[in-house]
Structure formats: C-alpha cells, structure tokens
Amino acid sequence: MSVTSDMEARLRALMLKALDGDAGAYRMLLDELRRMLRPYFVRRLTPGLAANGDDLVQETLMAIHTRRLTYDRAQPLTAWVHAIARYKLIDHFRRNRVRATVPLEDDAALFARDEAGDTTARMDVDAVLATLPPRPAELIRQTRLEGASIAEAAARTGMSESAVKVSIHRGLKSLADRFGGRSDE
C-alpha cells in the first residue's frame, strides 16, 4: 500500500470527518480503502488464492469499521489501516495453512555447512606436514592445498622450478614411505 502524503492527508481528513459523524465521508473513505486494499492483497496471495482477495478486503473493512473508535487521531491513518490489513492477511494464511516453501535447489541458505570434517582434515594434514622439513612442507601446502603453480611457488620461495619439483617429490616420497601409500610425484 504505497501512499503519497496527499493521499494520506485526504484519507485522514475523511476518517476524521467520519468519526465526527459525516456518513458521506465515511462511505467515501471505505470506497477509497477498498480500492487500495484489493491490489495490496492480490500482490501477496498466490495465484491459487487470489480469489480470496475480495474476502480479505471485506474482512479488513469490517475490522476498520468495528475498531474505528480506537483510531488515534494524531497518527497517520494508512499505517493503522496497513496494520489491520497485515493482521487479516496473516490470519488468512494461518486459517488456510499457507506456509512459505523453498525449492530444494535453494536450500543452501537454510542449512549451515558442516565444517567440522573440514577442520579435522585440515588438522590431520597439518600434523602430517609437520613431520617434514619446513621447506618441502610449505611447497606441498602451496601447490597441493592452496592451488599455486610450480612457477608461483618458485617465485615465492626464490627457488628454481626444478628445485621446487624435486623438493615436493622428495617430501611426498618421504610421507609415502612413512605413512604407507604412494606418492603421485
């Protein structure tokens, strides 16, 4: 329900006149509110429930009518009407058991990623690499874990590319011999 300040002033003036007993102003107010509420509800209802928009408009107008004496004359009218309309919409959703759903493809935002396994694996890798001399351990970490190329690792350490390859190969061979398995280098 986007409302301009002119519309707010006009609706509020109609409400104040209606509260003072002007039946014509009250009819005009209800007619204008009906035109505003219909699109408000239709935008928020699914296509299958859009037919309920008119019922929600009527329920809201009835609530406005029965609660009109609770309106605070010093407050904006449209905020008060919006609150009533919102509660009527929520009641409608509850009555019809409407629940927000998320397609399974979009569930990533609903579930936290289990990083406990990642942390454990990272600790295991760090423990294994700690058994190597610092230089081969760092070169293996850079090239195998961080995705750096041999050339990048060589530039970072000031070694030749051949020396980096030999150091990585010897480090992996040492780990394979120590922990069983094979080195792929």
Side-chain angles (χ1 to χ4, degrees), residues 101-111:
T101 59
V102 177
L104 290 178
E105 299 82 32
D106 297 339
D107 69 349
L110 297 176
F111 301 106

Side-chain angles (χ1 to χ4, degrees), residues 2-185:
S2 66
V3 179
T4 64
S5 59
D6 292 340
M7 183 178 288
E8 168 65 33
R10 189 175 75 250
L11 293 173
R12 189 168 174 280
L14 288 172
M15 179 65 158
L16 294 177
K17 286 180 185 178
L19 290 173
D20 292 337
D22 186 337
Y26 191 54
R27 274 192 302 278
M28 287 175 53
L29 173 69
L30 292 178
D31 189 48
E32 293 230 15
L33 290 176
R34 180 187 54 77
R35 284 196 300 268
M36 288 175 54
L37 289 167
R38 174 91 173 100
Y40 171 81
F41 287 121
V42 170
R43 277 193 310 271
R44 286 159 177 78
L45 295 170
T46 61
L49 295 174
N52 296 332
D54 289 330
D55 293 339
L56 286 166
V57 169
Q58 291 304 315
E59 287 179 32
T60 304
L61 292 176
M62 291 298 295
I64 289 168
H65 175 72
T66 58
R67 293 175 182 86
R68 71 186 182 279
L69 297 177
T70 66
Y71 171 65
D72 181 353
R73 292 172 177 251
Q75 298 299 315
L77 175 71
T78 53
W80 183 72
V81 169
H82 180 262
I84 293 171
R86 183 173 171 271
Y87 287 118
K88 289 297 174 185
L89 184 63
I90 291 169
D91 290 344
H92 171 75
F93 287 155
R94 287 180 181 148
R95 266 193 319 269
N96 291 293
R97 295 181 178 9
V98 175
R99 300 283 185 252
T101 59
V102 177
L104 290 178
E105 299 82 32
D106 297 339
D107 69 349
L110 297 176
F111 301 106
R113 184 169 180 257
D114 180 13
E115 295 180 0
D118 293 347
T119 303
T120 303
R122 200 170 21 255
M123 289 171 47
D124 290 345
V125 169
D126 288 342
V128 168
L129 289 178
T131 65
L132 292 175
R135 179 152 302 205
E138 182 55 30
L139 291 171
I140 291 171
R141 182 175 283 108
Q142 286 181 25
T143 58
R144 298 297 190 253
L145 302 177
E146 296 171 5
S149 68
I150 297 293
E152 291 169 332
R156 288 180 192 166
T157 58
M159 299 171 64
S160 70
E161 290 183 32
S162 297
V164 168
K165 288 179 186 178
V166 168
S167 182
I168 291 171
H169 174 74
R170 288 181 180 161
L172 291 174
K173 174 96 171 89
S174 172
L175 291 175
D177 291 345
R178 191 172 311 141
F179 295 104
R182 62 183 189 84
S183 70
D184 289 333
E185 278 283 317

